[in-house]
Amino acid sequence: MRTQQFLGVFHRLLEVIARGILLLVAFIRGPAQSQPPIKDLTLLHSATTLALKIRNRELTSEDVVSSYIERIKEIQPILNCVVAQRFEEALKEARKCDELLKSQDAPSVEFLAKEKPLFGIPFTTKDCIAVKNMRQTAGLVVRKNTVADKDAEVIKLMRSAGAIPLALTNVSELAMWWESSNYLFGTSKNPYNTRHIVGGSSGGEGCIQAAAASPLGIGSDIGGSIRMPAFFNGIFGHKPSKGIVSNDGQYPSAHSYDQDQLLAIGPMCRFAQDLTLILKIISDKNADLLKLNQKVDISKIKLYYMEDDGGQYLISPVDPEIKAAMKRVVKYFEQAHKVKATKLNIKLLKKSLALWLANMACKDEKDFSYELTNRNGQLNIPLELFKWMLCMSNHTFVALFTAIFEKFGLKHGSEEHVRLMQQSKDLYQEFKVFCCFYFDLNINGDYYYYTFLFFKDILGEDGVFLYPTHPTAAPMHNEPLFKAFNFSYTAIVNVLGLPATACPLGLNKQGLPIGIQVVAGLYQDHLTLAVAEELERGFGGWVPLAIQA
């Protein structure tokens, strides 16, 4: 216990020192860059609204696609979020949409709304999800010439719904870090302050959405890769229930059933109403399981929350401003909907990191070192570290560190691995049947009163759990190296396989986005999405940086 306490104190001290050094470096480099203001008001519409306007001939698809192309050209030199584009192809596809609407055989508005709800709408996705005839590098130098020969299943479904792929966005190397930076495309920068990160691995996607350079996007999430970028960039992001959306076409693909259950592909966007629309499309035949058409009465939900994980070692404490935002949400639901939230203390959440690492453990040496060779043998890590020190390696330091960590970390099938996998199951059961004892002693004459509270099936079909998405707002570039395990707040939800929606709650005192994640029971995605829309109404949702009238 003393060793753990010492490590905790040392970690806090290291964080403070690292932050001070990074602030000094930032001061020397000069002020943060400002992104250009939004001039085209078309960019301020939700994807749902744009699709409606195109169907009703109030806007043309070509105009919409052109608006987003111009916006990308404005912000890309500053934010570096796009790694590949298909502007000409997208414009041609947009013109075909407009020509169809003008033709004698034009489909009815009702048909388009039902069968092609994103007709003529451009969208973006991360450079891990295959788009036919576009590169699929996953930020790995050796894959720089790899071109996808077919669409990922989610891209195929988006095209079937009428959407038009526009560009690919930046990721961390092999999508296994929470800062989007690699040696192929460089580092993406936060729209709210370019000194800060955009998150990862769907960081370029979070960035392009926040900068109003794409109406909607598709990300993937194995430990928080949708929700952390959504949180850092002040947008909405949804990790669906496990097994709902096909992972086909995502690279790297999962090596085991356990990993595949952790991985989820889902929507990222500025407006909460678009989440449900996109999820209906990409969940395809599984959409009925999610009851997305079912209206949610907010006043009937059961609300639970925790302000932090109980104090994991080597994890940063939750910022007071994030805790304050959580309290405002709790108060809002009580005042606006008479829903009184219950504060929980789930002790197993203190083991979030260990549980996620156990579920990620690889067998047959198909670990991160194997992935770094593009699945062609094992990387010579000592040699690569030496090359990195000479600025000759094709791999980032954090990728090499991850490979080393795995080599000396938890082994698949070990006694500790088996124990942690069982605890993962225990935690899932604790969310299903959670007992909470409240002991209160009141003396009234000779009588003692004890209160026993019992919550059976805590989430069920009407419960939602509010939990921090991350303990801090977006760190400065390279700062995650000193806070490597802070992703545990999102990772534990992947272990549980539950749906979770990252919801923005405005900006902190430094002007950076903050928010929370909303978790529900398995296949109860409609609850988290309904709460997201309610929080958008109550707290404003995405905050545009600058609009030029």
Side-chain angles (χ1 to χ4, degrees):
M1 181 64 72
R2 288 182 179 177
T3 301
Q4 289 179 324
Q5 289 175 339
F6 172 78
L7 285 173
V9 172
F10 177 76
H11 179 246
R12 298 288 181 271
L13 181 62
L14 184 64
E15 281 187 318
V16 172
I17 294 172
R19 180 77 172 187
I21 293 172
L22 291 170
L23 283 169
L24 177 61
V25 171
F27 176 78
I28 294 171
R29 287 181 175 175
Q33 294 175 277
S34 299
Q35 65 165 309
I38 299 169
K39 306 181 189 75
D40 187 344
L41 299 186
T42 300
L43 303 174
L44 297 176
H45 291 305
S46 68
T48 304
T49 299
L50 287 174
L52 177 65
K53 287 180 175 291
I54 289 173
R55 289 196 296 269
N56 289 332
R57 284 77 165 175
E58 297 173 32
L59 281 174
T60 67
S61 175
E62 183 178 3
D63 285 344
V64 172
V65 171
S66 295
S67 291
Y68 279 101
I69 289 173
E70 290 308 309
R71 181 61 177 169
I72 289 173
K73 290 178 179 178
E74 282 184 330
I75 59 104
Q76 175 62 11
I78 299 169
L79 303 179
N80 189 39
C81 53
V82 172
V83 301
Q85 50 87 1
R86 56 187 306 275
F87 293 165
E88 290 304 317
E89 296 93 331
L91 283 169
K92 288 177 184 177
E93 291 167 23
R95 291 183 194 113
K96 287 182 179 178
C97 289
D98 296 332
E99 289 167 6
L100 178 60
L101 288 179
K102 293 175 183 177
S103 71
Q104 292 183 342
D105 299 322
S108 67
V109 171
E110 293 74 20
F111 172 85
L112 290 175
K114 182 178 179 182
E115 301 297 330
K116 292 189 177 294
L118 289 175
F119 186 77
I121 300 297
F123 75 99
T124 47
T125 190
K126 66 192 290 190
D127 178 23
C128 281
I129 298 174
V131 177
K132 187 176 180 179
N133 297 328
M134 295 192 77
R135 288 195 294 180
Q136 187 184 20
T137 74
L140 192 64
V141 171
V142 73
R143 289 181 60 87
K144 63 183 178 181
N145 296 320
T146 301
V147 176
D149 58 1
K150 64 176 183 178
D151 286 332
E153 184 62 25
V154 287
I155 303 302
K156 190 186 304 179
L157 291 168
M158 291 290 285
R159 287 190 196 260
S160 295
I164 301 171
L166 186 62
L168 300 180
T169 50
N170 203 22
V171 297
S172 52
E173 187 172 0
L174 278 176
M176 281 299 290
W177 186 239
W178 51 282
E179 176 166 11
S180 291
S181 181
N182 57 69
Y183 284 163
L184 261 182
F185 304 113
T187 302
S188 297
K189 300 175 183 178
N190 194 295
Y192 292 86
N193 187 326
T194 55
R195 291 174 171 175
H196 292 254
I197 72 169
V198 295
S201 60
S202 309
E205 196 56 46
C207 174
I208 199 171
Q209 298 297 326
S214 171
L216 59 95
I218 303 294
S220 58
D221 188 317
I222 200 169
S225 291
I226 286 174
R227 287 159 291 150
M228 282 191 293
F231 170 79
F232 292 147
N233 293 280
I235 63 165
F236 292 91
H238 180 71
K239 184 202 82 67
S241 292
K242 63 181 180 180
I244 286 295
V245 179
S246 171
N247 291 328
D248 177 62
Q250 149 80 28
Y251 188 89
S253 55
H255 284 297
S256 66
Y257 174 79
D258 291 330
Q259 284 187 359
D260 193 59
Q261 292 296 289
L262 293 177
L263 180 62
I265 292 176
M268 301 175 70
C269 47
R270 285 171 284 146
F271 301 98
Q273 69 175 154
D274 293 336
L275 293 173
T276 301
L277 173 62
I278 305 166
L279 187 57
K280 281 181 184 178
I281 293 165
I282 63 176
S283 54
D284 197 24
K285 295 177 182 177
N286 291 327
D288 290 343
L289 280 173
L290 305 183
K291 298 175 282 190
L292 297 175
N293 292 321
Q294 180 175 309
K295 186 173 176 58
V296 176
D297 185 345
I298 296 293
S299 67
K300 298 293 176 61
I301 65 170
K302 295 176 182 176
L303 196 64
Y304 307 93
Y305 73 101
M306 282 179 64
E307 294 178 356
D308 55 42
D309 59 13
Q312 285 188 86
Y313 294 105
L314 303 181
I315 310 293
S316 302
V318 176
D319 279 353
E321 286 184 276
I322 295 174
K323 286 187 175 184
M326 175 85 74
K327 290 176 181 176
R328 288 196 296 273
V329 170
V330 168
K331 185 176 181 180
Y332 171 80
F333 276 97
E334 184 171 357
Q335 292 181 340
H337 299 285
K338 311 302 180 190
V339 175
K340 189 168 180 60
T342 301
K343 189 174 184 179
L344 302 181
N345 180 21
I346 302 175
K347 293 183 178 179
L348 266 178
L349 287 178
K350 287 183 70 173
K351 304 196 73 172
S352 296
L353 177 64
L355 298 180
W356 183 83
L357 290 172
N359 280 265
M360 281 292 290
C362 299
K363 56 183 177 181
D364 303 325
E365 295 192 343
K366 292 183 178 179
D367 56 9
F368 199 62
S369 177
Y370 170 73
E371 295 290 358
L372 288 172
T373 66
N374 199 27
R375 301 184 170 179
N376 186 27
Q378 289 282 317
L379 188 72
N380 186 330
I381 298 176
L383 176 60
E384 284 300 322
L385 278 172
F386 180 70
K387 288 167 64 177
W388 182 84
M389 287 187 287
L390 297 176
C391 300
M392 295 173 63
S393 177
N394 287 330
H395 303 291
T396 59
F397 173 77
V398 74
L400 297 176
F401 173 81
T402 302
I404 295 169
F405 184 82
E406 270 200 299
K407 287 292 185 187
F408 294 97
L410 186 69
K411 299 300 180 186
H412 189 281
S414 66
E415 184 177 330
E416 178 69 2
H417 176 256
V418 172
R419 186 176 67 83
L420 288 170
M421 291 300 288
Q422 181 57 51
Q423 288 185 345
S424 297
K425 296 175 183 177
D426 294 343
L427 179 59
Y428 179 74
Q429 290 302 317
E430 190 165 357
F431 264 98
K432 288 188 68 179
V433 183
F434 177 82
C435 296
C436 175
F437 294 88
Y438 172 74
F439 181 83
D440 190 14
L441 177 62
N442 294 303
I443 301 177
N444 182 8
D446 295 326
Y447 296 96
Y448 295 84
Y449 296 98
Y450 303 88
T451 305
F452 169 65
L453 301 177
F454 178 69
F455 299 102
K456 184 178 180 182
D457 197 7
I458 186 172
L459 293 180
E461 296 185 354
D462 59 358
V464 296
F465 175 58
L466 308 180
Y467 196 52
T469 316
H470 200 80
T472 72
M476 301 184 74
H477 293 294
N478 299 311
E479 196 174 353
L481 287 168
F482 307 96
K483 302 178 176 183
F485 304 120
N486 279 2
F487 69 93
S488 65
Y489 276 87
T490 47
I492 192 60
V493 184
N494 295 77
V495 171
L496 296 169
L498 301 178
T501 306
C503 303
L505 294 173
L507 308 180
N508 67 7
K509 292 177 182 177
Q510 286 72 47
L512 293 168
I514 55 174
I516 58 171
Q517 60 178 325
V518 182
V519 184
L522 191 64
Y523 306 140
Q524 306 305 316
D525 298 52
H526 67 294
L527 292 180
T528 71
L529 299 179
V531 170
E533 291 194 37
E534 183 62 28
L535 290 178
E536 184 178 43
R537 284 189 287 270
F539 294 87
W542 168 67
V543 180
L545 274 172
I547 301 172
Q548 182 173 309

